[in-house]
Amino acid sequence: MRFFLLCLASATLVSLVAVAGFYQYRSSNTSNRMAVELANTVHISAPLLEGTLANDQRAEARRILRLFAAFHYVQCVDILDDGALVLSWPAIGCAKLPMVGETMTFDQSFTQPGRVLTLRIDESISNRDLYLETALFAATIFIIILLIFCALVLSFRNVVLRPLDLLKSAMIVASPENPVLAKRVRNDELGAMVDVYNKLAAASRYYMRRLNRYQNSLVKSEQRFKDLAEISGDWFYEMDENLNFTFISERFFDLFALRDEDVIGKSHTNLNAGEAENEMLRQHTKLMKRHEEFRNLEYQLVDGDGNVKWVSINGKPVFDEADVFTGYRGTGSDITVQKLRARLLEETSRDINDSLQYASNIQRALLCDRKYMTAILGKTIAIWQPKDLVGGDFYWLKKIGNQDYLVFFDCTGHGVPGAFMTLIVTSVLDQIAVSTSSALSGPELMYKLHDGVCAALGLSSDLSAGKDGLDCAVLRFSKDHDRLEFCGASMDLYLVPETGAATRLRADKAMLGYNVNAKLPDFKTYDINIDTNSFVIATDGLITQVGSAEKRVFGSRRFAEALDRVEGNDPSKLARFLAKTLKDWQGSEERRDDVTVLAFKPSQKD
């Protein structure tokens, strides 16, 4: 009904707007039509009137004025010469008739100066027709709009309200324990809503059954907890409002061979046998005085045999019905064994870290001497950041035959396993350099390196693939160091000119040392004119680092874009910008792998 009344009000409002527009239109149209009709009549009759008046034929002129009687809204007509009445229709003139309506004056159609024709118009006569037309239009448009809105109301009632009523009835009757399905009327959006409700009702029945099972299980779990608590190795205690023990379960006295009078009536600070009052104890005491829950309050006590033991207690404040603090209750545990193990673990960890630090110093010392690198590679900046003090990233720079070679490689894993792999790889490279009298091509060196690593790892043709290997890049410099050759196994080289974008020289997809039976590709070799170019090479620890903001790997595209944002190609700027970009990208995310970057410019000697 409310919707119907709203539609009725809307129909009335629309009808009023339409009628107002119609009335305005018809009123303007009627006024314009009257003005045109009268102007045309005056224009036609003016010459005739001037002729008859010039011949003093006043009776004939009055008959001409009777033409205006055809317009039922014209009351009278006067002809004036310089304001003096010459002739009228009716004969008494407009001045002697009651003043009704407005006066219209026409002088353009007369040739005699000062002569005008005035008409008095009664618009109420013409408006009666306008009112009648407007009333008929208003009634028609109101009926049409009302019928349209009534049809919309009935359609809305049948299409929307009826399905909603059925859904509402089902929802009112339904309960979580006894859901009622609603009837689906038709296949539309409301039908889809009914389907969703029916699915929820069915799910409610299912989850109520599961809830009942969980409640039954909870009762059993509570009983199980009580049983386990009674036989657990921990003890229970209670404290009063002054933080003195008022109760401790028997298990405590069994563990520490103490008597009631040794504990009851005393606080945990009185039982502390360690430092006078350590920081943890002070903080927990403040917390307890604020009547807050606490966990893992650790302190030492002396048992009945004179041995120092470590205990840990948890506590929850207790309040009475008036919300007044009455003390604490909680549990305690003997953590002496855990403390001894933690101390042993700390000592062991310290020994291991000392050993790793020593190994890191050794591995760092094995890296190529900076002066030698500068002499061969020109201005060189190296970033070597193992994830765990030692790592699996390394670079090797030596002569084979009479040419200089740079081998940049990333071994499997990081930490100690990766470091051992770098020792194996550098040992194989040293053996190749010593045993080879002439220069090797880049692919030949990688084939020999692959075979040497497989042999060092004890891989044979009758064994399956191993789990250790390496990615690497081989750079061979010409004798006069104006060109270099590059080939790589899953490790790219970036050429950075002084102006313009960096070029990525893609390596072949291959890994060395994993399988002696592996068929290595015919490695693609790049012959590059050094000129004023700089070169950058990096292990995948930078490329695969996940960023804390986007949770995505850094990737080769961002690596190349970072190089392009550096002005010029100075190795120091390139390396520093890459390091800053990696730090910003990594954010709070954990470092995933070793990171090593080498940037050098052979044409720029220090």
Side-chain angles (χ1 to χ4, degrees), residues 355-594:
S355 298
L356 286 176
Q357 185 62 56
Y358 188 71
S360 175
N361 295 336
I362 294 175
Q363 189 177 31
R364 189 179 296 274
L366 292 175
L367 289 170
C368 183
D369 180 70
R370 178 175 177 80
K371 290 184 179 180
Y372 182 69
M373 289 181 65
T374 302
I376 303 301
L377 302 180
K379 186 172 183 179
T380 306
I381 300 296
I383 299 174
W384 186 69
Q385 296 179 352
K387 180 178 181 294
D388 302 312
L389 293 179
V390 293
D393 292 354
F394 217 73
Y395 46 89
W396 180 89
L397 180 63
K398 286 188 178 180
K399 285 184 179 294
I400 299 179
N402 58 354
Q403 290 186 260
D404 294 307
Y405 290 78
L406 170 63
V407 181
F408 193 89
F409 55 91
D410 179 3
C411 298
T412 306
H414 48 77
V416 175
F420 274 108
M421 278 298 299
T422 63
L423 294 178
I424 293 175
V425 175
T426 54
S427 175
V428 171
L429 287 171
D430 288 339
Q431 291 176 12
I432 295 172
V434 171
S435 61
T436 305
S437 58
S438 59
L440 299 172
S441 67
E444 289 175 339
L445 179 55
M446 283 205 288
Y447 297 144
K448 286 181 174 291
L449 178 59
H450 170 73
D451 294 338
V453 171
C454 289
L457 294 175
L459 300 179
S460 60
S461 59
D462 58 344
L463 294 177
S464 60
K467 298 180 180 180
D468 301 300
L470 67 149
D471 302 333
C472 82
V474 175
L475 284 74
R476 184 178 74 163
F477 294 86
S478 62
K479 294 180 181 179
D480 50 5
H481 277 237
D482 60 344
R483 307 188 68 81
L484 67 81
E485 292 180 359
F486 161 73
C487 63
S490 300
M491 187 174 289
D492 303 330
L493 177 68
Y494 290 84
L495 184 151
V496 186
E498 289 186 340
T499 59
T503 300
R504 179 184 178 187
L505 307 178
R506 295 179 179 270
D508 292 283
K509 295 296 182 182
M511 294 181 291
L512 308 182
Y514 285 92
N515 189 349
V516 70
N517 299 317
K519 181 174 176 57
L520 298 179
D522 295 330
F523 290 102
K524 180 179 180 180
T525 301
Y526 297 86
D527 188 3
I528 306 164
N529 183 20
I530 292 177
D531 197 14
T532 59
N533 296 314
S534 289
F535 300 89
V536 179
I537 190 167
T539 58
D540 63 357
L542 193 154
I543 304 297
T544 59
Q545 177 61 47
V546 174
S548 61
E550 298 190 20
K551 301 300 181 185
R552 298 168 60 186
V553 298
F554 188 74
S556 300
R557 178 178 59 82
R558 290 186 181 86
F559 186 89
E561 290 175 353
L563 295 176
D564 292 339
R565 287 199 294 270
V566 178
E567 183 178 354
N569 66 348
D570 182 74
S572 299
K573 292 183 178 180
L574 294 171
R576 284 197 299 269
F577 190 76
L578 285 174
K580 181 181 182 301
T581 303
L582 174 62
K583 182 180 179 181
D584 295 341
W585 175 263
Q586 180 179 340
S588 59
E589 191 73 19
E590 181 184 358
R591 177 68 63 85
R592 298 296 182 89
D593 198 359
D594 304 326

Side-chain angles (χ1 to χ4, degrees), residues 115-131:
R115 177 167 290 176
V116 297
L117 186 145
T118 62
L119 299 94
R120 186 180 296 169
I121 306 301
D122 187 358
E123 291 185 344
S124 63
I125 297 174
S126 61
N127 286 341
R128 283 198 297 269
D129 296 336
L130 177 61
Y131 295 152

Side-chain angles (χ1 to χ4, degrees), residues 64-99:
I64 295 173
L65 288 179
R66 288 177 182 171
L67 290 173
F68 292 96
F71 306 106
H72 59 284
Y73 48 80
V74 177
Q75 291 182 307
C76 60
V77 183
D78 288 342
I79 296 178
L80 305 174
D81 282 345
D82 295 328
L85 180 65
V86 178
L87 191 65
S88 298
W89 175 85
I92 62 175
C94 293
K96 297 180 179 181
L97 291 175
M99 187 64 182

